Amino acid sequence: SIRQIANRDHFYAKLAVITVAMVAIVCGVMKVLPFASRGQSILVAIVAVIIGVIVFVGGASLTRLFTAREVLALPLGRRFLKMTHKH
């Protein structure tokens, strides 16, 4: 199950689950939002990217996909660790 994958150190399985969830959610958003013109298409693309980033980062955080050292290597990694660190 997904919960068992999240609790173990299966990096590629976690990555696959997060990626599939992100694609499904972003595709759902793309089908709901109308885009008839180029301007609307740009707005839909920006919204889709933002939602995709939120879903991926949230999923990576929930499943502890990356180690603290790997998170620190990312842009804004230190801020992310401060936000998610539990005292």
Side-chain angles (χ1 to χ4, degrees):
S1 81
I2 294 174
R3 190 165 283 170
Q4 289 173 336
I5 290 171
N7 290 332
R8 294 196 179 147
D9 292 332
H10 300 297
F11 177 80
Y12 293 111
K14 290 179 184 181
L15 184 62
V17 168
I18 294 168
T19 303
V20 168
M22 180 187 67
V23 168
I25 291 170
V26 169
C27 285
V29 169
M30 296 282 287
K31 287 186 180 202
V32 172
L33 295 176
F35 50 99
S37 67
R38 281 187 263 169
Q40 288 176 341
S41 296
I42 290 171
L43 291 175
V44 170
I46 291 170
V47 168
V49 167
I50 291 169
I51 291 172
V53 168
I54 291 169
V55 170
F56 188 85
V57 171
S61 175
L62 288 174
T63 61
R64 297 183 188 148
L65 183 65
F66 302 115
T67 64
R69 181 181 235 171
E70 291 168 335
V71 171
L72 287 173
L74 297 172
L76 302 175
R78 182 166 289 167
R79 181 177 293 170
F80 179 74
L81 274 181
K82 287 180 183 178
M83 290 183 340
T84 59
H85 181 69
K86 296 178 182 176
H87 297 284

